[in-house]
Amino acid sequence: MVDVALRAGVSTATVSRALRGVEGVSDETRSRILALAEDLDYVVSPEASGLSGRATGRVAVVVHDLAAWYCSSVVVGLENELRAAGLELVVRCVDDPADRVEFFGTLPLRRKADALVVVAIPMSPEEQERLAGAGVTVVAAGTHDQHFPSVAIDDVNAAQQAVNHLLRLGHRRIALLNTVAADDRAWQAQMDREEGFRRAMRSAGVPVDETLVVSWSGGARGGAEGMDRLLSGERLPTAVFAFSDEVALGAIRSMRRSGFSVPQQISVVSIDDHPLAELTDLTTVRQDPLGLGRAAGRTVLAALRGEELPDVGAFPTRLVIRGTTAPPAD
């Protein structure tokens, strides 16, 4: 704060008021102070702020798509666990790349929360470094992170569960309908689920037909468009492993519109157990984002209390067989 005050030619009290957004500072001075603070990568000293003994009683959570079933379920699980401990949740949605860059660049919640939960967002080394120096507890939910405590499923294993089911049914021409991020960052789940697909095929001694590996963005709509591409190929798959239930449902829509029956002609399996999966009789690998959120909440509470962090390990998944998979037709 002294460095910012010297650069700005004002007192540390003025810097404090400007950074806290209180009255008594002109707009011009406030803007200059905020710009200098950003240039100097100013963060609150955790040692100095700790002297005041002022905990905020809040936990911040940042998500990329709050409306999505997975993210909203994790947030609900978090809220259930933290509310029972007397803590409030502050939610920030960064739903496009510019929002994400701005959030991790300025860390606007660093003075408003005691902890931050990052839900299924891949962080660059620079972002990880900024969070590490922000003076707040950080927990990653839905993705593995070597820098912070994390709670996530084993996406490689989940994909193997799905593909091994198809292989046991006798399928050999298995397509992968993957998803890609809307920006240039590779999602860990995207890479891990493709790795699980390839491991299962390799273990079974079945070569992967690269013409049947398709990546598309856009959830269910992307699944439909990706399936259209597969159906346009010279040789059709007998089965499809989709990145998620939403992608799978989009693919099934395209198949049925094109006159293909599921699973009589093409089987489909995916990952999630979205609420629509049971209604549409979709075979899937179940994960529990609500329970994952609760586990992340317990990890946050342990960290804030200075307790030993719970050994969550890989969050469990299991195959749920329904009506979209069957042995390949003769």
Side-chain angles (χ1 to χ4, degrees):
M1 190 178 293
V2 171
D3 291 337
V4 176
L6 288 173
R7 291 282 190 94
V10 298
S11 67
T12 55
T14 299
V15 173
S16 177
R17 288 195 297 271
L19 295 177
R20 288 184 289 123
V22 299
E23 297 179 356
V25 183
S26 69
D27 292 341
E28 180 183 354
T29 301
R30 189 188 309 278
S31 297
R32 187 169 77 255
I33 289 172
L34 291 175
L36 286 169
E38 183 174 352
D39 289 342
L40 292 172
D41 283 338
Y42 171 83
V43 295
V44 178
S45 164
E47 293 82 6
S49 61
L51 294 175
S52 67
R54 291 179 300 173
T56 67
R58 290 186 293 268
V59 173
V61 56
V62 57
V63 299
H64 67 91
D65 185 1
L66 185 57
W69 163 78
Y70 178 85
C71 290
S72 61
S73 297
V74 172
V75 171
V76 170
L78 267 170
E79 200 275 338
N80 288 346
E81 199 71 29
L82 297 176
R83 175 165 43 86
L87 296 175
E88 296 180 353
L89 207 62
V90 180
V91 180
R92 172 69 181 268
C93 186
V94 289
D95 52 4
D96 65 49
D99 284 343
R100 195 172 308 155
V101 170
E102 188 273 336
F103 176 86
F104 287 105
T106 62
L107 296 179
L109 296 173
R110 66 188 172 207
R111 301 190 66 176
K112 302 176 182 178
D114 303 317
L116 173 67
V117 180
V118 182
V119 179
I121 295 179
M123 291 181 284
S124 68
E126 294 76 18
E127 291 167 347
Q128 291 168 334
E129 184 177 351
R130 289 188 67 86
L131 284 181
V136 296
T137 296
V138 178
V139 173
T143 184
H144 296 280
D145 194 295
Q146 60 181 349
H147 295 83
F148 307 113
S150 57
V151 183
I153 69 169
D154 184 338
D155 284 289
V156 174
N157 180 64
Q160 288 178 290
Q161 289 175 304
V163 178
N164 284 336
H165 170 61
L166 297 175
L167 290 166
R168 285 192 293 268
L169 289 173
H171 292 279
R172 294 298 178 266
R173 285 188 55 77
I174 302 174
L176 168 63
L177 195 53
N178 210 347
T179 190
V180 294
D183 56 18
D184 60 352
R185 301 189 185 199
W187 294 92
Q188 191 64 46
Q190 165 200 340
M191 296 185 292
D192 286 351
R193 292 181 190 185
E194 179 169 348
E195 174 61 23
F197 164 78
R198 293 184 181 277
R199 281 190 193 181
M201 298 287 278
R202 188 164 55 247
S203 296
V206 179
V208 174
D209 184 342
E210 297 299 335
T211 65
L212 299 181
V213 177
V214 174
S215 295
W216 222 275
S217 63
R221 183 173 182 178
E225 293 174 350
M227 195 67 224
D228 288 342
R229 177 173 169 181
L230 287 173
L231 295 177
S232 300
E234 292 184 0
R235 295 186 64 198
L236 298 178
T238 63
V240 173
F241 164 52
F243 172 85
S244 68
D245 291 352
E246 292 177 338
V247 172
L249 293 175
I252 290 172
R253 188 199 72 177
S254 280
M255 281 186 274
R256 287 175 173 163
R257 288 185 175 183
S258 300
F260 290 91
S261 58
V262 179
Q264 289 77 13
Q265 291 177 284
I266 301 178
S267 289
V268 179
V269 65
S270 55
I271 295 175
D272 271 343
D273 204 22
H274 187 287
L276 288 175
E278 184 175 6
L279 293 175
T280 55
D281 205 24
L282 176 65
T283 297
T284 187
V285 173
R286 174 181 294 165
Q287 63 170 320
D288 179 14
L290 189 69
L292 190 147
R294 291 195 182 104
R298 291 192 291 271
T299 301
V300 169
L301 292 174
L304 291 178
R305 294 165 179 165
E307 301 171 353
E308 183 178 353
L309 299 183
D311 184 12
V312 177
F315 218 70
T317 58
R318 71 179 181 88
L319 178 69
V320 179
I321 301 174
R322 296 192 179 106
T324 58
T325 52
D330 294 337

